[in-house]
Amino acid sequence: MTWMQRLRARLEQRRATAAPAPLPDEPDGVTLTSPAELERLLTVWTRRWTRSRGKESDAQWGVARARVEAELRRFFGQGTLQRVQGACRGAPGGGGSLLLAADRLFVAFLGTRATMAVTRKLYSNLQ
Amino acid sequence: MKAAAPQSVRWLWTALSILLIVGLAAYVNFVLTGSYDPLVAVFNIPGSAFFILVTATEVTFAYRARGLFEPAEPMHTTWTLILLSACCRLSGAAFTQALSAPISWNFLVIVKLLQPERPQVLHSIGVILTGPAAMALLAAGLMRVLVLKRRLGILGGLTLVDKSFIAAILVFTVRQLMDIGGVLLGNRAELTVTQVVLWFSDPLLALLLIQAVSIRRSVLNMGQGLVARCWGMMALGVAFTSAGDVVLWAETHGFIPVVISPLGWFIWFFAVTAFASAPCYQVQAAREAHEGSYAVRMTHG
């Protein structure tokens, strides 16, 4: 089982077991200072992306997705970006998978602190 | 789009270029006059200083790169191993390039402590540190990187050319192990501890080369990101080290004409610069992660 399949299974499991509204709808207000907060923020955004609620939300995600892709390209190169895009294309909750895949790469090769800094930038000024 | 190299990397390669210009001038003098003196002077003074300073830079940046990761993160251990490898190379360079050499700026020469039998002992310690000790630590670090890349699905498969190259390396290593076996079956009385320890260099270098081939393939697949270039530089360092080793072997067996053999000595400067550049890219990646922000507010519709 590849990591992408495991990720997909986790996403499916998370979607199935998720409580209706334990997490805030305003992730931009979260101050990232610990890995737990990073995970919490990513969970919020992944859910929003998965649900894809309405046109306005899609536009926000278009910006967020472009930013994630730019950061992936900057740190890991065009080839990695294409590989991650390819792996996430067919995945359920596609954009959310891209977000999590990018986060895994950032945490592994840049460290948690740098990832929190990148994530703060990625989701700044988004609603 | 290819990101610009960090300033530290640009400084390192500029310093290397200056040293190469001076070295090539000394080499031209050697070709024209047959005198080794200017060439030896370049390798003994600016060359030794370059080795020590650039490796010290590598130690500094590897220490900073290690500090970017929490102790529980896999890359923390990886950078610890690379840092220890760099420390071995730095102390080894200090022993081989400075402390064991009868040169005017050697501290032991200045305080008159370099007795006739000491240079050989110090040199042996230095060779072991820069050879098997540093290689084993680096191989362990690179293995962890490869495992992590595989786990994250960004390693990429090897091509037929890569596999053929690895097969050739393995054949060469088996051939060298057979040579060692021949020595062990012959006269063992003349063997020294240093010789026996140095036997591990070639298998370790083979392992490093195999890792370098995998990392090179991964870098080609990944593209020109800062993290990819960090590990690409590490692979380049291993490749230059292997090339330097091959030149030494060819020189020992008389396969290289005397007039061009000094050119092969310059390879080691490339190796040390490539190794030092790798952690610079990692530190730069972390710096860029913390810099700037997406200041433009999202407009709806």
Side-chain angles (χ1 to χ4, degrees), chain A residues 3 59-60 63 67 71 74-80 83 107-113 117-118 121 124-125 127, chain B residues 67-70 73 75 149 151-153 221-222 225-227 282 285 288-292 294-296 298 300:
Chain A
W3 70 268
Q60 295 275 351
V63 173
R67 289 176 181 181
E71 294 296 332
R74 173 153 60 139
F75 292 115
F76 297 97
Q78 182 68 25
T80 307
R83 194 173 272 250
V107 170
F109 288 103
L110 294 177
T112 312
R113 270 170 280 155
V118 171
K121 278 193 285 182
S124 60
N125 302 317
Q127 294 168 354
Chain B
L68 297 170
F69 297 90
E70 301 293 337
E73 294 179 77
M75 289 299 283
K149 282 188 171 191
R151 202 183 296 157
L152 291 168
N221 288 340
M222 283 169 86
L226 287 166
V227 174
Q282 180 71 56
E288 289 196 14
H290 286 278
E291 273 175 4
Y294 290 95
V296 180
M298 172 70 193
H300 302 298

Side-chain angles (χ1 to χ4, degrees), chain B residues 28-290:
Chain B
V28 170
N29 178 276
F30 159 73
V31 172
L32 294 175
T33 66
S35 166
Y36 274 101
D37 292 345
L39 202 56
V40 170
V42 166
F43 276 90
N44 274 352
I45 302 165
S48 298
F50 182 85
F51 263 114
I52 292 169
L53 291 174
V54 171
T55 313
T57 307
E58 185 194 350
V59 169
T60 309
F61 276 87
Y63 179 75
R64 287 172 64 184
R66 177 180 173 271
L68 297 170
F69 297 90
E70 301 293 337
E73 294 179 77
M75 289 299 283
H76 187 269
T77 312
T78 301
W79 278 109
T80 303
L81 290 165
I82 291 170
L83 171 66
L84 290 173
S85 170
C87 287
C88 281
R89 261 182 282 127
L90 177 61
S91 46
F95 278 118
T96 54
Q97 304 291 324
L99 292 174
S100 66
I103 48 179
S104 57
W105 55 279
N106 179 355
F107 172 75
L108 295 178
V109 170
I110 293 167
V111 297
K112 295 188 173 60
L113 277 174
L114 193 70
Q115 291 156 2
E117 73 281 4
R118 272 206 186 145
Q120 192 53 45
V121 175
L122 292 174
H123 193 267
S124 297
I125 293 171
V127 168
I128 289 171
L129 282 172
T130 51
M135 283 179 190
L137 290 163
L138 184 62
L142 292 186
M143 188 58 81
R144 288 181 62 88
V145 175
L146 288 171
V147 168
L148 188 62
K149 282 188 171 191
R150 178 172 283 279
R151 202 183 296 157
L152 291 168
I154 54 169
L155 190 56
L158 296 174
T159 63
L160 190 63
V161 176
D162 295 335
K163 286 175 184 167
S164 310
F165 187 61
I166 287 174
I169 293 168
L170 289 175
V171 168
F172 183 65
T173 309
V174 169
R175 177 77 184 78
Q176 284 181 315
L177 290 174
M178 285 166 68
D179 283 350
I180 291 170
V183 173
L184 284 173
L185 290 172
N187 186 11
R188 280 185 276 183
E190 289 175 12
L191 280 178
T192 63
V193 176
T194 310
Q195 268 179 308
V196 173
V197 175
L198 287 178
W199 279 344
F200 290 97
S201 295
D202 291 322
L204 281 169
L205 197 56
L207 174 64
L208 280 169
L209 258 181
I210 293 168
Q211 291 173 330
V213 170
S214 302
I215 289 174
R216 177 185 164 274
R217 176 58 48 200
S218 148
V219 170
L220 288 177
N221 288 340
M222 283 169 86
Q224 289 291 330
L226 287 166
V227 174
R229 287 159 82 185
C230 162
W231 299 109
M233 277 292 170
M234 206 60 95
L236 193 63
V238 173
F240 279 130
T241 305
S242 308
D245 222 38
V246 168
V247 168
L248 277 181
W249 176 83
E251 208 179 322
T252 312
H253 288 78
F255 293 135
I256 299 180
V258 175
V259 73
I260 61 164
S261 67
L263 287 176
W265 307 344
F266 289 99
I267 292 174
W268 298 100
F269 294 126
F270 285 93
V272 79
T273 310
F275 278 131
S277 301
C280 296
Y281 275 106
Q282 180 71 56
V283 170
Q284 178 67 15
R287 185 178 294 156
E288 289 196 14
H290 286 278

Side-chain angles (χ1 to χ4, degrees), chain A residues 28-57:
Chain A
D28 205 25
V30 176
T31 313
L32 279 177
T33 53
S34 72
E37 286 170 0
L38 172 67
E39 198 171 327
R40 184 177 155 86
L41 176 71
L42 286 168
T43 307
V44 175
W45 279 106
T46 309
R47 278 195 194 165
R48 280 185 62 165
W49 200 327
T50 308
R51 286 174 194 154
S52 188
R53 296 175 305 195
K55 195 179 171 184
E56 189 176 298
S57 172

